[in-house]
Amino acid sequence: MSTFTILLGGDLIRTPRLERQIEGSRVIAADAGIGHARMLGLMPELWVGDFDSVPANLPDDLAAVPRKVFPAEKDITDGELAIAEALKRGATSLVLAGAFGGKRADHAFLHLALAVRLAEAGTTVLLTSGAQEGVPVLPGSAAFDYADGTLFSVLGFSELAGLTVTGAKWPLDRVEVAFGSSLTISNEVKGQLGIALERGRALLLAHPYPLPES
C-alpha cells in the first residue's frame, strides 16, 4: 500500500495519533497546506495549486519544494489537484490533513464528498484535523480503534439501509436512516466500535482529540 499525505489548508493540530497515521507516507501540499509541513516535520515532494494563498515567511527549504502551477481560474480545487497527483504517483491510501475548518466551508464539504467518491473507487481515505477525523462508510463492515468515550457521528450522504452500529452507547441494529436524518449524530464509543451497512454511503466523523473549548 502506498500512502500519501495531502496537506490541505484547513485546521490542523499535531497529535500522537496523527503522527502514527502519516509516518512513512509521501507528501504533497495543496497551496496554503504547505503551512502545515513544518509543524508536522514533513517535506513535501510536490507543491501544487494556483499559489494565491501562499503563507508568509515560508522557510527557504519549503519555498524550494518543486511546484506545479495552475491558473487561478480553473474548474478544480487545489486540493483535488493534489489528490490527482498522488493517484498518478501510485497512491492507494490518502491522509487528507487539514480537510476540515479553514476559511472555506465549501472546500471542507467538498473534501467530505470527495473522500466518499474516492473510497467507492477503491482508495482508502482518512480525513483529519488532528482533533477530529472522518472515514467513508460504504456497504460492508468495518471496525475502528477509538477509545471508550470518543464522540462520533455517522453522516449519511444518501438514505442508509441496514445500518448496524456496535460497541457504542446507542447501538443500532439494521436500521433505515432517511437522508438528512439526525438519528446518527452524537453517539459515543463503548467498547470495540463496529459499523456495518447494507446499502448507501456515509461518513464516520469521530473526535479522538476533542479541543479544550469543546
Side-chain angles (χ1 to χ4, degrees), residues 93-163:
S93 176
L94 297 170
V95 177
L96 306 185
F100 305 119
K103 298 178 180 179
R104 297 287 301 271
D106 50 352
H107 284 216
F109 178 81
L110 170 69
H111 297 148
L112 302 180
L114 181 57
V116 173
R117 190 187 84 190
L118 289 165
E120 288 180 320
T123 302
T124 300
V125 186
L126 171 73
L127 308 98
T128 180
S129 69
Q132 59 183 337
E133 56 189 50
V135 180
V137 175
L138 299 176
S141 60
F144 302 89
D145 64 347
Y146 297 117
D148 277 9
T150 300
L151 179 69
F152 74 92
S153 298
V154 178
L155 308 178
F157 280 72
S158 69
E159 293 182 353
L160 305 179
L163 176 65

Side-chain angles (χ1 to χ4, degrees), residues 16 45 85 107 130 140 162 165 179 183:
E45 63 185 65
E85 287 294 331
H107 284 216
V165 177
F179 178 58
L183 173 68

Side-chain angles (χ1 to χ4, degrees), residues 164-189:
T164 297
V165 177
T166 56
K169 185 175 182 179
W170 292 285
L172 298 172
D173 184 16
R174 299 188 66 201
V175 300
E176 309 290 312
V177 183
F179 178 58
S181 169
S182 63
L183 173 68
T184 54
I185 300 295
S186 296
N187 207 333
E188 188 177 306
V189 175

